[in-house]
Amino acid sequence: MPDLELHPLNATLIPLLGEWQGSGEGAYPTIDSFSYGEILVFGHVGKPFVAMNQRTRERESGLPLHAEAGYFRPQGDGTIELVLSQPSGIVEILTGTITETEAGVEVDVSSVGVHTAPSAKLVRETRRRYVVKGGTLTCDFWMAAMGEPLTHHLTSSLIRQG
Amino acid sequence: MPDLELHPLNATLIPLLGEWQGSGEGAYPTIDSFSYGEILVFGHVGKPFVAMNQRTRERESGLPLHAEAGYFRPQGDGTIELVLSQPSGIVEILTGTITETEAGVEVDVSSVGVHTAPSAKLVRETRRRYVVKGGTLTCDFWMAAMGEPLTHHLTSSLIRQG
């Protein structure tokens, strides 16, 4: 396996790369609020995308809650596409912007398509925001589901590992 | 982290679980044929799905070619859903069947939805088949793209690792 240099299109995403761990809080009009532990990994293989793999766990039991896996596709003009899938039977296509900041980067994307497997619960719309400030990554997630409009659902604060 | 017992809905997928490595051949009416190395990993976390993560490489250089990540969702009645995303900007939702055989299992799924990010190449339809016979996994992939009808594109033969 040769050394894999970062693809130039990924340059603005450098602050995201690596493994992040921390905790989050979830709320939605239709459910009780809850907290969770989260592991989020961003990696590259020298091609013009960044792979994302996320898992969350119950705080007390350590049992798995959510997971998702996908790919960030920076377009080189400050815009970005994100495609991902979830074990709940949902796939998403999102587009948005990359904003470089003094302390890191912000990626803010909104769904242009949310599609569900026949047995999955319907989600109509999502928005995802990833903000790196130094060694901290803050993730926020909004969704329109269960008859609700686009509503903030999750926020987590993660610390860079290693 | 507690021990994670296999979810009963995953029982028929046991032959798939683990890591597989091997090689494959690609062909399509619009391109030159090619060969590749492949790593395919199926894992579970005690919930009613199996996570799939795949990467392929050029045989000579070892450079990354394709990747995909997704989730198999067995429905308990011999049918299964598969959701996945690819760094090429494609997400797929597929449905089909799980067939238990004397030597393993066959999973055969066809797309009910293929969706592409704005900058991605269009793929209209896919079919994926995974056949485990003892310690060998054969993967086949068909797609309708580049104006072609659903056409066989990839076949690989992988050996169980470890």
Side-chain angles (χ1 to χ4, degrees):
Chain A
M1 181 84 163
D3 259 356
L4 296 170
E5 265 182 58
L6 193 77
H7 192 284
L9 280 178
N10 283 337
T12 54
L13 297 180
I14 288 174
L16 268 183
L17 294 174
E19 180 175 334
W20 303 82
Q21 292 191 22
S23 61
E25 303 286 332
Y28 208 68
T30 55
I31 56 167
D32 290 336
S33 298
F34 62 99
S35 65
Y36 56 91
E38 179 170 357
I39 299 178
L40 182 51
V41 181
F42 294 97
H44 83 97
V45 294
K47 300 190 78 168
F49 64 85
V50 166
M52 178 264 285
N53 204 296
Q54 189 250 34
R55 285 165 292 151
T56 67
R57 291 182 184 166
E58 286 180 11
R59 299 299 300 276
E60 315 259 299
S61 67
L63 287 170
L65 284 173
H66 181 78
E68 55 193 43
Y71 304 93
F72 286 79
R73 293 162 47 85
Q75 300 295 301
D77 59 356
T79 69
I80 188 166
E81 298 173 346
L82 169 59
V83 292
L84 61 86
S85 65
Q86 303 172 37
S88 45
I90 298 171
V91 296
E92 300 180 27
I93 297 174
L94 308 100
T95 62
T97 56
I98 307 171
T99 306
E100 295 182 87
T101 64
E102 215 167 295
V105 69
E106 296 190 17
V107 176
D108 194 334
V109 289
S110 294
S111 60
V112 291
V114 180
H115 307 279
T116 47
S119 76
K121 284 188 189 149
L122 189 65
V123 172
R124 291 183 295 108
E125 196 182 344
T126 63
R127 176 185 168 199
R128 293 162 180 274
R129 190 178 62 199
Y130 305 83
V131 177
V132 179
K133 277 191 190 161
T136 302
L137 169 58
T138 306
C139 305
D140 286 279
F141 176 68
W142 294 255
M143 71 175 178
M146 313 298 290
E148 302 290 331
L150 191 67
T151 301
H152 190 262
H153 176 38
L154 303 170
T155 187
S156 62
S157 180
L158 312 179
I159 304 295
R160 181 186 289 286
Q161 305 298 298
Chain B
M1 183 83 161
D3 258 357
L4 296 170
E5 266 181 58
L6 192 78
H7 192 286
L9 280 179
N10 282 339
T12 53
L13 297 180
I14 288 174
L16 268 183
L17 294 174
E19 179 174 335
W20 304 83
Q21 293 191 21
S23 60
E25 303 287 331
Y28 207 69
T30 56
I31 56 168
D32 289 337
S33 298
F34 62 99
S35 66
Y36 56 91
E38 179 171 358
I39 299 178
L40 183 50
V41 180
F42 294 98
H44 84 96
V45 294
K47 300 190 79 167
F49 65 85
V50 166
M52 178 265 285
N53 204 296
Q54 189 249 34
R55 283 165 294 151
T56 68
R57 291 183 183 167
E58 285 179 14
R59 298 301 297 277
E60 315 260 298
S61 66
L63 287 171
L65 284 174
H66 180 79
E68 54 193 43
Y71 304 94
F72 285 79
R73 293 162 45 86
Q75 301 294 302
D77 59 357
T79 69
I80 188 167
E81 298 173 348
L82 169 58
V83 292
L84 61 85
S85 65
Q86 303 172 37
S88 45
I90 298 172
V91 296
E92 299 181 27
I93 297 174
L94 308 99
T95 61
T97 55
I98 306 170
T99 307
E100 294 181 86
T101 64
E102 215 167 294
V105 68
E106 295 189 20
V107 176
D108 195 333
V109 290
S110 294
S111 60
V112 292
V114 180
H115 308 280
T116 47
S119 77
K121 283 189 190 150
L122 188 67
V123 172
R124 291 184 295 107
E125 194 182 344
T126 64
R127 176 185 168 199
R128 293 163 181 274
R129 190 178 62 199
Y130 304 84
V131 177
V132 178
K133 277 191 190 161
T136 302
L137 169 58
T138 307
C139 305
D140 287 278
F141 175 69
W142 294 254
M143 71 174 179
M146 313 299 291
E148 301 290 330
L150 192 67
T151 302
H152 189 263
H153 176 39
L154 303 170
T155 187
S156 62
S157 180
L158 312 178
I159 303 296
R160 181 186 290 286
Q161 306 298 298

